[in-house]
Amino acid sequence: MRRQELNIQLKTPEQIEKMRAAGLVVAAALDAMRAAVAPGLSTADLDAVAEKVIRDAGAVPSFKGYHGFPASICASVNEQVVHGIPSAEQVLREGDLISLDCGAVLDGWHGDAAITVGVGETDPALLRMAEVAEDAMWAGIAAAARGVANGRGRQTDISFNIERSIRKAGRYGIVDGYGGHGIGTEMHQDPHILNHGKPGRGIRLEPGLALAIEPMITMGSPRTVELDDGWTVVTRDGSRAAHVEHSMALLEDGVWVTTAPDGGRARLGDLVTNKFE
């Protein structure tokens, strides 16, 4: 079912189960890349790792060919925020920080998730930034779960709780303009989920809504610029950045984080639905 005026796609429980299958493929690809990250490895090497996992599972990389994107993952290093194109020439060095963003489509349904990890011995302040981004992501997902449970949740409740979590953690730049999105039979659907804003606005959070939640923060200014390749987004001031993401679906009794192997249970507890256990 679609809300035509906003192009909101609401999923049935059976369709959400298919999204879960795609999400687990993404989770496996991210786990394989996390294990592979090391100094001397190129981002093209990581792309090959992810593509093999995805295709061996019978899925197809969502990113490859998307509006002409040439790879199966986005690999964004240091000041690169998102949409970095993997390259054999971009070789990881000790102390780098890398965001790995991965999508897969299986049986017509998409999963999309991202992690930020350090390469070898990494500045603890950078690892802390990645942790702050991850905590904020979970805060946004938790807000969505509470909102669907009480029937009063709105789209920007997610944005507000992401921002509040980041602001409480320290002085980080919250990247403007980029954010999360609806997900389902297409990788990017309405609505667009900003990582900042006032609560109580936007569409109502209701069962069947599936969203990808993805905070992006920096060690400095939130301002960004897109490189001449037409994809890679970097911080304007050259500061390091972190980006994390999970896909999740809302049900009547809670949330299911379709790209988390445990469905989100460890971080969200009873906010996670029992419907699919």
Side-chain angles (χ1 to χ4, degrees):
M1 178 173 78
R2 286 183 182 269
R3 298 288 181 81
Q4 292 295 335
E5 66 276 14
L6 292 176
N7 198 29
I8 302 296
Q9 184 186 67
L10 298 179
K11 286 78 174 173
T12 66
E14 293 75 21
Q15 290 169 336
I16 291 171
E17 287 196 73
K18 291 185 176 182
M19 291 189 69
R20 170 62 164 174
L24 289 176
V25 174
V26 172
L30 288 172
D31 282 347
M33 286 190 288
R34 187 195 297 271
V37 165
L41 203 72
S42 76
T43 53
D45 293 330
L46 292 171
D47 183 72
V49 168
E51 181 161 0
K52 185 177 189 308
V53 171
I54 292 168
R55 294 196 185 277
D56 284 353
V60 175
S62 301
F63 296 0
K64 199 162 193 176
Y66 181 77
H67 295 294
F69 190 78
S72 296
I73 65 166
C74 296
S76 306
V77 182
N78 295 333
E79 76 282 359
Q80 298 172 351
V81 183
V82 285
H83 305 160
I85 300 173
S87 168
E89 285 71 48
Q90 186 165 45
V91 176
L92 298 179
R93 297 176 298 177
E94 192 88 14
D96 281 345
L97 193 70
I98 182 170
S99 163
L100 298 164
D101 191 357
C102 180
V105 56
L106 181 66
D107 196 22
W109 294 89
H110 288 259
D112 187 9
I115 57 175
T116 291
V117 297
V119 180
E121 291 294 324
T122 308
D123 185 344
L126 297 179
L127 298 179
R128 173 59 182 157
M129 176 176 60
E131 184 179 278
V132 167
E134 187 166 354
D135 288 345
M137 174 187 66
W138 287 109
I141 295 171
R146 290 191 297 268
V148 76
N150 64 32
R152 299 190 299 272
R154 293 283 179 175
Q155 172 184 336
T156 62
D157 297 345
I158 299 171
S159 308
F160 173 77
N161 280 275
I162 290 172
E163 180 179 8
R164 182 169 63 174
S165 178
I166 295 166
R167 298 298 186 210
K168 285 182 176 179
R171 295 177 62 86
Y172 297 98
I174 301 176
V175 175
D176 194 14
Y178 297 91
H181 50 88
I183 186 170
T185 52
E186 297 89 27
M187 182 166 58
H188 292 112
Q189 298 179 330
D190 290 335
H192 181 57
I193 308 293
L194 289 173
N195 292 313
H196 57 85
K198 296 181 178 180
R201 301 177 179 179
I203 66 166
R204 186 168 70 87
L205 301 178
E206 57 185 306
L209 186 64
L211 303 169
I213 308 302
E214 50 179 323
M216 303 164 207
I217 64 176
T218 76
M219 293 291 286
S221 168
R223 300 182 67 191
T224 61
V225 63
E226 186 178 272
L227 298 184
D228 290 342
D229 63 17
W231 287 102
T232 309
V233 177
V234 301
T235 57
R236 188 177 291 272
D237 63 1
S239 62
R240 303 284 185 97
H243 163 227
V244 296
E245 178 182 19
H246 264 313
S247 298
M248 59 94 166
L250 297 173
L251 293 105
E252 291 181 2
D253 64 339
V255 65
W256 200 15
V257 184
T258 53
T259 49
D262 70 347
R265 183 72 68 185
R267 292 296 300 252
L268 301 175
D270 292 341
L271 292 176
V272 174
T273 179
N274 293 314
K275 193 176 296 293
F276 298 105
E277 290 189 345

